Amino acid sequence: MKLRDRMGLLLQVDRWDQRRDGLLSERALQQKLKGLGYEPLPRTNPAGAIVSARVHGRERADAVIAGLLKVSIDDQSVILTAGDIVVVPAGAARRIEPVGSAPVLCIEAVSR
């Protein structure tokens, strides 16, 4: 799925497809991120925690292992579920926020 931001750039969301990707696990999601050219860094985000908007100089990706995570990139937002990956372009303002009452287990990855 792709969403356009205010500058016409496309937000890229890759949804896990069990037929293509196999069974979803933390290891399988890390392997997929590595295959896409990212170095994964697993993180847990407690319910109610909001990470303020940050701008990074390198392309990044956020992936969800469990829970729901709202990711806002510039002026567009998307809610990720287990197995989803969103690409954050270099220079874009990114903010993350767990959705619901459960903690979110996610992987933040940096392009190599």
Side-chain angles (χ1 to χ4, degrees), residues 3 8-10 14-16 20-21 40 49 53 64 66 70 73 75 77 84 87-88 92 97 99-100:
L3 302 171
L9 301 173
L10 293 176
D14 185 342
R15 307 269 185 212
W16 192 268
R20 177 190 69 208
D21 301 319
V64 174
K70 179 179 178 183
I73 301 171
D75 63 351
S77 296
D84 290 350
V87 173
V88 182
E97 176 182 355
V99 175

Side-chain angles (χ1 to χ4, degrees), residues 39-104:
E39 187 59 40
L41 309 163
R43 308 220 184 235
T44 300
N45 295 293
I50 298 173
V51 175
S52 61
R54 293 193 174 113
V55 176
H56 298 282
R58 292 171 56 192
E59 183 175 279
R60 303 174 90 76
D62 289 307
V64 174
I65 300 164
L68 297 172
L69 184 69
K70 179 179 178 183
V71 179
S72 299
I73 301 171
D74 290 333
D75 63 351
Q76 295 290 315
S77 296
V78 64
I79 295 181
L80 304 180
T81 62
D84 290 350
I85 299 170
V86 66
V87 173
V88 182
R94 169 190 147 271
R95 182 175 155 249
I96 60 172
E97 176 182 355
V99 175
S101 58
V104 177

